Amino acid sequence: MDGTADTTGRTMEVARIEKERGSDTIVQPRELVEVRYARGVSLSLSARKVFALMMHQAAGDAWRDQEHRIAKRMLRGSHNSNDRLTETIDELMGIFFAMPDKVDGDHGRRTFQMIEETFEGGEQGWLIYRFTRRARDLLKDSEAYALLHRATVLAFDSKYALELYQLGALLYRRDVPIWRGDVETLRAKLGVPEGAYSSFADLRRFVLDAATAEINQLVPQFSVAWDVAKRRGRKVIEVAITFRRKPPIAAVAAEEENERHRAGRRARRDGTAETIMDPSAIIAATAANLGVSDVLRWPADDQVTEFGAVELHAIGVTYGGGHAVQRLADQYARVRADKRRQLRGDALREDWTTWVRGCAEKWSKP
């Protein structure tokens, strides 16, 4: 075999390095982040978690035509007592993925499976698996990737949050960290089954808002906010999803939440239970960490960013229900046309917080 046969893209090289470091970072190829589910069927949350762990274990060797093995004990936390590992493996074996491809100049859609075969040992044994030829080719040539935190992947309660997390991890470092697409494309990307949440009100409540809230609670790297990008009359046509780096204190809060027991997590997310660090403490610490002046003022250009208007932005992220902070700011500037320039310090802080809470509550209603 010549030297070029072992040449891989950047993704497999980074995965190899992370594995050698003993890192808990999962290197997920861009192609697997962007791939869609075929036949209107998507993976369960347990299957998505198990597959991520299998990718992490195979790491830089995932592209090779060889067996990989992972101790079944390492898969604990990816499924519960009512979701047997055997059933999850069967699900992974049976799922089909689809992606655009070209053969001899003819553009079309390629459908394929990721896993060729598995062997599941006894209760304390191994799971042995091999990727399909098509999957190996895809992994070998991959040049871009998303870096996922293993603890965060295992902490999710929503399969849509996990799928959106992977997309955000791929995009948030870019100059324009925004995904935009029509509603049907979004449904396919997140793996929403055909016929489920057919109205946008249900899709917003049970998929977008739920996934956004969970990501903003659990993900250390970035926060997420979505907005309607295009309407036709009252019908929502396109959605824009923005991913922004989290301020240091918010990242620490997410890491701490990952380490906490999942019991009570939903209540902490909804603000109906005590938290280790309350929102006001996060806002104050964020402002102090980034050197905000002692007198809070509304920005002259009406741009509420995490760097230019740190405390105002932190309030928007904390109380905004996952909605884009700048959208909140634009509405505030329009309604408070004169007042926003007059308010200072605590008066502005209180008025902005009340506004953000009110919009979050109003916009969350179907």
Side-chain angles (χ1 to χ4, degrees), residues 68-130:
H68 309 280
R69 59 175 59 204
I70 182 172
K72 293 175 68 175
R73 59 179 173 79
M74 294 179 64
L75 299 175
R76 291 172 185 166
S78 62
H79 58 288
N80 56 43
S81 59
N82 296 320
D83 187 3
R84 303 285 295 178
L85 179 59
T86 299
E87 296 173 357
T88 300
I89 298 304
D90 288 346
E91 181 185 352
L92 282 169
M93 291 287 292
I95 201 73
F96 284 82
F97 299 90
M99 63 187 301
D101 203 352
K102 182 174 67 173
V103 176
D104 297 331
D106 185 18
H107 292 268
R109 188 184 81 150
R110 183 177 296 279
T111 304
F112 63 99
Q113 293 172 288
M114 285 298 299
I115 301 175
E116 180 177 296
E117 61 178 353
T118 63
F119 171 80
E120 185 182 348
E123 186 63 29
Q124 302 299 321
W126 297 88
L127 173 66
I128 303 174
Y129 55 100
R130 182 192 299 269

Side-chain angles (χ1 to χ4, degrees), residues 58-315:
D61 290 327
W63 66 275
R64 297 184 183 276
D65 184 11
Q66 67 180 49
E67 291 182 336
H68 309 280
R69 59 175 59 204
I70 182 172
K72 293 175 68 175
R73 59 179 173 79
M74 294 179 64
L75 299 175
R76 291 172 185 166
S78 62
H79 58 288
N80 56 43
S81 59
N82 296 320
D83 187 3
R84 303 285 295 178
L85 179 59
T86 299
E87 296 173 357
T88 300
I89 298 304
D90 288 346
E91 181 185 352
L92 282 169
M93 291 287 292
I95 201 73
F96 284 82
F97 299 90
M99 63 187 301
D101 203 352
K102 182 174 67 173
V103 176
D104 297 331
D106 185 18
H107 292 268
R109 188 184 81 150
R110 183 177 296 279
T111 304
F112 63 99
Q113 293 172 288
M114 285 298 299
I115 301 175
E116 180 177 296
E117 61 178 353
T118 63
F119 171 80
E120 185 182 348
E123 186 63 29
Q124 302 299 321
W126 297 88
L127 173 66
I128 303 174
Y129 55 100
R130 182 192 299 269
F131 295 113
T132 62
R133 180 184 62 82
R134 178 59 56 184
R136 296 195 303 269
D137 290 345
L138 180 151
L139 296 171
K140 180 181 180 181
D141 295 336
S142 177
E143 293 287 351
Y145 51 86
L147 299 179
L148 312 177
H149 290 193
R150 182 179 184 275
T152 304
V153 168
L154 295 180
F156 282 121
D157 289 326
S158 163
K159 65 180 182 180
Y160 305 123
L162 178 51
E163 201 73 24
L164 195 57
Y165 172 45
Q166 294 186 95
L167 180 62
L170 181 67
L171 298 180
Y172 84 101
R173 294 176 182 271
R174 298 183 181 180
D175 292 338
V176 182
I178 299 173
W179 181 93
R180 177 169 175 165
D182 60 65
V183 173
E184 288 307 311
T185 300
L186 175 64
R187 291 175 60 90
K189 175 68 204 72
L190 298 181
V192 180
E194 292 181 2
Y197 310 127
S198 55
S199 72
F200 186 78
D202 285 343
L203 185 71
R204 177 181 62 192
R205 178 182 178 186
F206 297 109
V207 177
L208 284 173
D209 285 347
T212 295
E214 196 167 0
I215 287 175
N216 288 341
Q217 181 187 34
L218 294 172
V219 173
Q221 304 109 300
F222 57 85
S223 61
V224 59
W226 70 272
D227 204 352
V228 174
K230 183 179 180 181
R231 291 179 183 270
R232 184 175 295 132
R234 297 184 62 183
K235 184 179 180 180
V236 175
I237 303 300
E238 291 186 3
V239 172
I241 305 175
T242 304
F243 306 93
R244 298 290 188 189
R245 291 175 185 263
K246 278 188 176 178
I249 193 65
V252 171
E255 291 174 350
E256 290 178 346
E257 183 61 43
N258 282 327
E259 299 299 324
R260 300 181 71 180
H261 195 281
R262 67 175 57 248
R265 180 168 289 159
R266 181 182 295 274
R268 292 192 292 274
R269 182 162 63 243
D270 296 340
T272 57
E274 293 183 357
T275 58
I276 293 177
M277 182 176 291
D278 61 42
S280 61
I282 294 177
I283 293 167
T286 300
N289 184 71
L290 296 180
V292 177
S293 63
D294 56 345
V295 179
L296 185 66
R297 293 181 173 84
W298 187 259
D301 59 0
D302 291 321
Q303 298 300 299
V304 178
T305 68
E306 60 187 302
F307 301 109
V310 180
E311 187 173 0
L312 294 172
H313 185 271
I315 291 172

